[in-house]
Amino acid sequence: METKRIIIKDRENIKDEELSAAAQVLREGGLVAFPTETVYGLGGNALDEDAAKKIYAAKGRPCDNPLIAHISCAEELEPLVKEIPEAGRRLMEAFWPGPLTMIFPKSSKVPYGTTGGLDTVAVRMPDDPIANRLIALAGVPIAAPSANTSGRPSPTTADHVWQDMNGRIEMIIDGGPVGIGVESTIVDVSSPVPAVLRPGAITMEMLREVLGEVTIDPAILGPMSPGVRPKAPGMKYKHYAPKADLTLVEPEGMAMDQDQVMRMVETVRKLAEEKCSLGFRVGIICTDESASEYPRGLVRSIGARRSQASVAHNLYAVLREFDDLKVDFIFSESFTEDHLGQAIMNRLSKAAGYRIVRV
């Protein structure tokens, strides 16, 4: 299959003719990768079970891993769901369009192929102008997991998508680098107490300001039991992972005072030097503040420790760079788990397969 690449030069002044061919591909059951404010998505018609099968095949993704249906406006939600709980309405008013996915009881219109066999459906309204206009032009909700092969770090540029999807899908829309860099927050509003199934840029603190009581699904805190069916993407299977073995070094208690940070940096340095001494290629994920502390290894800062937004934005790009550099081992510093840090640590923990050294 030949994969066409469409470059959008001005994201703020998009012409419909730039996206019309992509919209037609989606209506006809094909696949199109496109940028959102979080990561690049791999889109197919969410109401077409065959399109869902194509998405799973292109990604190499297990078919019980649900897809997220993307809509362009609030009016497009009602046909997809049996009901909109009050918590869902309040979150829509506060955070849509934006990086928030919600889990609703699904209507009969949504095929089980899209929901991974579940009676619930995940729905998001992206804020990105390319994504939003493409969905509107297609005239159907778009199922769009991240546009990478299953398990790999999610793509934050069109080049990342090209590496994984060239020859597998009909089209890639190149809208430049994404803004946030980690996937949307997922909240299950189908149960009496809303539960976060995946952390993201809409943080727990922000959700509690709107809803009050919000719980955290245990899958965020550790590996999911093998026999449990995931209710949302990123819960069960290995995700976001580089090809090299990644180890996360984490201070006990995660208070991240100066002494703890120094012990963490020292441990990362020692682990990296041990592997370097054995002749391995070693990658180190650190911050602007600590980069000079590592004399050996391929050192990559993902931003300033005080700027969670920069860390989130750069995380996947650094993991993919280490793949390109063919490193054997990666050692990463940890980050506080407040605000956006919860999403950063969730992605790093899953990328490491919960291989964590506590100091």
Side-chain angles (χ1 to χ4, degrees), residues 236-281:
K236 181 177 179 181
Y237 299 98
K238 188 176 182 182
H239 271 68
Y240 326 117
K243 296 174 183 177
D245 288 339
L246 169 62
T247 298
L248 190 56
V249 178
E250 181 178 290
E252 291 286 355
M254 294 295 288
M256 290 290 186
D257 60 33
Q258 188 61 31
D259 287 342
Q260 284 186 317
V261 171
M262 288 176 64
R263 285 200 304 274
M264 175 178 64
V265 170
E266 182 181 358
T267 301
V268 171
R269 182 172 61 246
K270 286 181 178 179
L271 291 170
E273 288 180 347
E274 286 173 5
K275 294 298 184 183
C276 288
S277 297
L278 294 172
F280 292 108
R281 290 174 64 81

Side-chain angles (χ1 to χ4, degrees), residues 62-66 116 118 197 217-220 222-238 350:
C63 61
D64 68 342
N65 202 0
L118 298 172
L197 306 186
D217 192 279
I220 291 177
M224 194 172 186
S225 301
V228 177
R229 174 172 283 183
K231 291 192 73 173
M235 293 185 70
K236 181 177 179 181
Y237 299 98
K238 188 176 182 182
K350 286 183 175 291

Side-chain angles (χ1 to χ4, degrees), residues 157-300:
T157 69
D159 285 341
H160 296 162
V161 181
W162 188 263
Q163 290 172 6
D164 285 12
M165 291 294 153
N166 182 27
R168 294 172 178 247
I169 64 176
E170 283 84 352
M171 190 174 292
I172 298 170
I173 298 174
D174 184 347
V178 302
I180 295 171
V182 294
E183 299 83 354
S184 62
T185 304
I186 301 180
V187 180
D188 183 1
V189 296
S190 69
S191 52
V193 179
V196 175
L197 306 186
R198 183 177 72 188
I202 305 300
T203 66
M204 183 65 72
E205 292 87 349
M206 295 162 68
L207 293 169
R208 284 177 172 154
E209 279 187 17
V210 174
L211 297 180
E213 186 180 8
V214 181
T215 62
I216 300 175
D217 192 279
I220 291 177
L221 307 175
M224 194 172 186
S225 301
V228 177
R229 174 172 283 183
K231 291 192 73 173
M235 293 185 70
K236 181 177 179 181
Y237 299 98
K238 188 176 182 182
H239 271 68
Y240 326 117
K243 296 174 183 177
D245 288 339
L246 169 62
T247 298
L248 190 56
V249 178
E250 181 178 290
E252 291 286 355
M254 294 295 288
M256 290 290 186
D257 60 33
Q258 188 61 31
D259 287 342
Q260 284 186 317
V261 171
M262 288 176 64
R263 285 200 304 274
M264 175 178 64
V265 170
E266 182 181 358
T267 301
V268 171
R269 182 172 61 246
K270 286 181 178 179
L271 291 170
E273 288 180 347
E274 286 173 5
K275 294 298 184 183
C276 288
S277 297
L278 294 172
F280 292 108
R281 290 174 64 81
V282 177
I284 296 172
I285 297 176
C286 62
T287 62
D288 293 351
E289 295 87 344
S290 62
S292 63
E293 299 293 326
Y294 300 105
R296 301 183 69 180
L298 297 165
V299 181
R300 296 294 182 272

Side-chain angles (χ1 to χ4, degrees), residues 54-104:
K54 290 178 183 178
I55 291 174
Y56 287 121
K59 285 179 64 68
R61 178 185 178 121
C63 61
D64 68 342
N65 202 0
L67 305 175
I68 296 173
H70 292 64
I71 59 177
S72 66
C73 61
E75 291 73 23
E76 294 172 2
L77 175 63
E78 289 195 15
L80 306 180
V81 302
K82 281 186 177 179
E83 61 175 320
I84 304 175
E86 177 60 24
R89 292 189 186 279
R90 289 163 66 184
L91 291 177
M92 287 169 62
E93 291 175 4
F95 302 118
W96 273 11
L100 175 69
T101 295
M102 286 184 277
I103 308 288
F104 299 93

Side-chain angles (χ1 to χ4, degrees), residues 1-186:
M1 177 187 298
E2 179 187 359
T3 300
K4 296 181 180 179
R5 185 162 172 168
I6 307 298
I7 298 175
I8 305 297
K9 295 181 180 178
D10 186 351
R11 295 173 56 85
E12 303 307 319
N13 294 286
I14 304 163
K15 299 178 175 61
D16 285 354
E17 53 264 31
E18 294 179 288
L19 299 176
S20 59
Q24 183 175 349
V25 169
L26 291 166
R27 282 194 299 273
E28 293 176 352
L31 304 185
V32 175
F34 59 93
T36 75
E37 68 272 31
T38 57
V39 298
Y40 270 75
L42 175 58
N45 183 349
L47 305 182
D48 182 344
E49 199 137 21
D50 289 336
K53 290 177 181 177
K54 290 178 183 178
I55 291 174
Y56 287 121
K59 285 179 64 68
R61 178 185 178 121
C63 61
D64 68 342
N65 202 0
L67 305 175
I68 296 173
H70 292 64
I71 59 177
S72 66
C73 61
E75 291 73 23
E76 294 172 2
L77 175 63
E78 289 195 15
L80 306 180
V81 302
K82 281 186 177 179
E83 61 175 320
I84 304 175
E86 177 60 24
R89 292 189 186 279
R90 289 163 66 184
L91 291 177
M92 287 169 62
E93 291 175 4
F95 302 118
W96 273 11
L100 175 69
T101 295
M102 286 184 277
I103 308 288
F104 299 93
K106 84 173 191 70
S107 73
S108 59
K109 189 172 184 178
V110 182
Y112 283 110
T114 296
T115 67
L118 298 172
D119 289 318
T120 53
V121 60
V123 186
R124 180 162 100 83
M125 187 197 306
D127 188 36
D128 181 274
I130 296 174
N132 199 279
R133 190 57 192 153
L134 175 63
I135 298 163
L137 287 173
V140 293
I142 304 301
S146 54
N148 55 294
T149 49
S150 189
R152 288 206 71 199
S154 298
T156 55
T157 69
D159 285 341
H160 296 162
V161 181
W162 188 263
Q163 290 172 6
D164 285 12
M165 291 294 153
N166 182 27
R168 294 172 178 247
I169 64 176
E170 283 84 352
M171 190 174 292
I172 298 170
I173 298 174
D174 184 347
V178 302
I180 295 171
V182 294
E183 299 83 354
S184 62
T185 304
I186 301 180

